[in-house]
Amino acid sequence: MEKDEVIETFDRPDAKIDLPEILQKGKITILAENSTTSYFYYKGKEMGFEYEILKLFAEEIGVELEVKVVNNLDDLVDLLNSGQGDLIACNYTVTRERSKIINFSTPFLQSQQVLVQRKPDGWEDMKKDEWKEQLISSPNELANKSVHVWKNSSYYERLNHLQEEIGDTIHIEGMEGNIGGEELIEMVAEGIIDYTVTEDVVAKVNNQFYDNLYTDVQLSVKQKIAFGMRKSSPLLKHKLDEWLNSFMEKSTFRYISKKYFDMKHVTNRPNKSYATLSKTKISPFDNAFKQAEKSSGWDWRLIAAISYQESKFNPNALSFGGAYGMMQFMPNTGPTYGVYPDSPPEIQILGGAKKLKADEKHWKLVADDFQRKKFSMASYNAGRGHIMDAQRLAKKHGLDPYKWDDNVEKMLLNLSKKEYYQDEVVRHGMMKTRITYNYVREVTERYLEWASIY
């Protein structure tokens, strides 16, 4: 598989590339965006709902899959018709206007548009009915409110129609295509903007990352989401439609859908009560953690805090991307450290400690011991590539690239924003930064509490 490539648009006549030409060159190219539903990296692994579907389609027709990440979604159709990509895979809604200039595959999702809004400050200490009273509960209440959406999206069209339906003005802030939909969702969560619109399937994913969002207000009927193709590729459309119609009946499609749209097993953060078995014991595996300390040099209580964050001490945990066990090894990484899905807890813990020690060696230029361990924990959670991206951004923006607290962690948070993840020094694209940011902070808090007690 070829490495994803970031591209720019330029004018050329509509390409006459169809299935025979794709088979001849041995490669099909998809135009993707950095998002959970389209394409992203997770612990060094290429992922994405649409990416996984099209990877299987590429295998079916015997070609490689090439991913080209699009900087500006306004360029999608031009890039497709000029031959720089063969398929649009960007959570693309089927509309009449779009259907005039491109073909769509058989729809693989149906999704309603929903309003993304932020729960009020202090909602955690309120009853649900109390904080819901402060939120918009119906489309009529959007009158005279400002809503930020991509100006060339179906969301923008829907809001225009909604104005007519409610008989009042909605201040629709049309954003350029270089601001991603998931970036707008994050901006709502962080209080930068008040409202945006997305599909309910995308909302389900992002609700797991941001617990202060409310996305239950529906704004549309169910709409079709499909892959986009050139009008000059009828054979590709026929083959893809035929395959999709069969594939969507299979358990593999249901598994992929559940993995991306039911992510509680990945993103739910452990309860901060840090409940333990007794006043003298953190877990049933304390002896194994202490043995791991001897071989790794990592405080056993810190290894335990990481294990709790990863799996809540569950040796049989299975989560996003196929990560398994107490220390949540990815299938392509676990065997390197002697850990397999059926390995006993002691081996899982020992392997996790070895991985942490190996990650720490990469950050040897970080002089402070605990700062170095924070880099290692972040690498363990997100993959080393994303942390190196954050480090390069920190250096570029005048921060200390060898200090995690308030320096590299700040740039890590920016890797969810196009302005930053499209920077020339960034090599691994967008990530859901808040997860890793919180991961390091919560593991550290838990470790310090346990270290004071045990």
Side-chain angles (χ1 to χ4, degrees):
M1 183 182 303
E2 300 193 15
K3 181 176 172 58
D4 60 288
E5 175 188 354
V6 177
I7 56 177
E8 303 292 342
T9 183
F10 55 89
D11 293 331
R12 67 167 73 172
D14 284 1
K16 305 298 182 185
I17 303 172
D18 203 352
L19 185 60
E21 288 77 20
I22 291 169
L23 295 175
Q24 184 175 13
K25 66 181 177 181
K27 176 177 68 178
I28 189 167
T29 302
I30 65 172
L31 300 171
E33 65 172 335
N34 273 127
S35 74
T36 316
T37 51
S38 179
Y39 174 79
F40 67 104
Y41 276 95
Y42 175 73
K43 292 192 174 184
K45 181 180 179 181
E46 293 173 296
M47 298 189 69
F49 176 66
E50 291 171 295
Y51 166 79
E52 290 207 29
I53 292 173
L54 290 176
K55 184 172 181 289
L56 292 170
F57 174 67
E59 292 174 1
E60 171 70 17
I61 63 175
V63 299
E64 292 185 348
L65 182 67
E66 178 185 39
V67 179
K68 291 187 175 180
V69 177
V70 179
N71 285 343
N72 192 320
L73 297 181
D74 293 332
D75 299 332
L76 276 172
V77 173
D78 286 343
L79 292 169
L80 176 72
N81 284 332
S82 66
Q84 295 189 64
D86 302 306
L87 293 168
I88 293 175
C90 292
N91 198 46
Y92 220 43
T93 305
V94 179
T95 67
R96 276 193 306 180
E97 289 304 308
R98 288 172 177 170
S99 297
K100 292 175 183 177
I101 51 178
I102 65 172
N103 280 334
F104 282 98
S105 70
T106 292
F108 52 85
L109 278 180
Q110 288 196 1
S111 185
Q112 291 173 299
Q113 293 184 18
V114 296
L115 181 69
V116 181
Q117 57 185 316
R118 186 174 55 260
K119 297 173 186 175
D121 293 341
W123 67 272
E124 302 97 330
D125 300 320
M126 301 179 188
K127 294 180 180 179
K128 187 173 182 179
D129 289 344
E130 292 176 342
W131 58 255
K132 282 185 70 175
E133 285 181 1
Q134 302 182 40
L135 300 178
I136 286 176
S137 60
S138 75
N140 290 324
E141 297 172 40
L142 280 174
N144 298 311
K145 298 292 194 298
S146 293
V147 186
H148 292 70
V149 293
W150 173 31
K151 67 180 181 181
N152 288 328
S153 68
S154 57
Y155 316 135
Y156 192 94
E157 293 180 26
R158 178 63 193 132
L159 289 172
N160 270 313
H161 292 311
L162 191 57
Q163 287 187 112
E164 301 298 321
E165 294 170 19
I166 68 174
D168 212 331
T169 299
I170 301 172
H171 300 294
I172 309 170
E173 305 293 341
M175 309 296 289
E176 299 297 323
N178 58 357
I179 302 293
E182 291 194 353
E183 186 173 341
L184 289 173
I185 293 171
E186 181 176 358
M187 290 168 70
V188 173
E190 294 184 350
I192 299 171
I193 61 176
D194 289 327
Y195 307 102
T196 189
V197 179
T198 191
E199 282 88 9
D200 59 2
V201 290
V202 177
K204 287 177 183 177
V205 175
N206 283 275
N207 281 337
Q208 306 303 323
F209 297 115
Y210 310 111
D211 56 6
N212 67 334
L213 294 181
Y214 184 72
T215 59
D216 285 4
V217 178
Q218 298 174 356
L219 301 181
S220 76
V221 298
K222 287 197 172 185
Q223 298 174 306
K224 299 172 182 176
I225 297 174
F227 300 119
M229 287 165 283
R230 286 179 296 273
K231 293 282 189 182
S232 60
S233 302
L235 297 177
L236 174 62
K237 173 176 168 52
H238 176 77
K239 183 66 176 178
L240 179 56
D241 286 351
E242 182 181 58
W243 181 80
L244 276 173
N245 286 326
S246 172
F247 177 67
M248 288 189 294
E249 297 296 322
K250 296 181 178 179
S251 60
T252 305
F253 178 74
R254 293 191 292 274
Y255 167 76
I256 294 173
S257 299
K258 182 176 175 61
K259 180 166 73 171
Y260 286 95
F261 302 133
D262 181 16
M263 298 173 65
K264 293 180 181 179
H265 52 293
V266 183
T267 54
N268 276 357
R269 294 197 292 271
N271 190 309
K272 288 190 177 182
S273 65
Y274 314 149
T276 54
L277 294 179
S278 70
K279 293 182 179 179
T280 59
K281 205 170 186 181
I282 289 176
S283 78
F285 311 103
D286 284 6
N287 287 336
F289 287 123
K290 291 173 182 177
Q291 287 297 317
E293 176 180 335
K294 294 178 182 179
S295 62
S296 66
W298 278 60
D299 189 312
W300 73 273
R301 295 161 297 187
L302 182 53
I303 303 172
I306 291 167
S307 178
Y308 183 84
Q309 188 81 11
E310 291 285 350
S311 68
K312 296 184 182 176
F313 301 136
N314 181 2
N316 301 311
L318 182 64
S319 65
F320 195 43
Y324 55 80
M326 291 179 67
M327 305 302 290
Q328 287 294 278
F329 274 105
M330 294 295 281
N332 58 339
T333 306
T336 303
Y337 298 93
V339 181
Y340 299 87
D342 59 351
S343 295
E346 294 77 13
I347 298 300
Q348 295 182 28
I349 292 168
L350 183 61
K354 288 178 181 177
K355 175 72 165 62
L356 289 164
K357 182 178 181 180
D359 281 333
E360 187 175 12
K361 287 181 180 178
H362 179 79
W363 305 109
K364 59 185 177 183
L365 294 179
V366 179
D368 180 85
D369 179 70
F370 201 64
Q371 289 294 305
R372 189 167 60 251
K373 284 183 167 54
K374 289 184 177 183
F375 275 88
S376 306
M377 288 188 283
S379 302
Y380 191 96
N381 177 252
R384 194 179 300 161
H386 286 306
I387 310 308
M388 292 172 69
D389 282 342
Q391 189 180 45
R392 285 188 287 267
L393 282 171
K395 182 177 181 180
K396 182 171 183 175
H397 289 271
L399 298 174
D400 187 345
Y402 301 111
K403 185 177 180 182
W404 181 260
D405 295 338
D406 297 320
N407 284 267
V408 174
E409 69 171 354
K410 280 187 175 181
M411 287 298 110
L412 177 80
L413 281 176
N414 285 329
L415 280 173
S416 62
K417 301 176 175 66
K418 278 194 175 183
E419 173 188 353
Y420 290 90
Y421 70 68
Q422 290 178 351
D423 191 291
E424 61 183 5
V425 303
V426 174
R427 300 171 188 171
H428 295 85
M430 183 273 291
M431 65 173 290
K432 288 291 186 185
T433 55
R434 185 66 60 177
I435 293 176
T436 302
Y437 177 87
N438 288 335
Y439 179 94
V440 175
R441 289 193 164 216
E442 291 176 10
V443 167
T444 299
E445 182 181 347
R446 184 176 302 111
Y447 161 67
L448 293 175
E449 181 169 332
W450 284 352
S452 69
I453 296 173
Y454 303 99

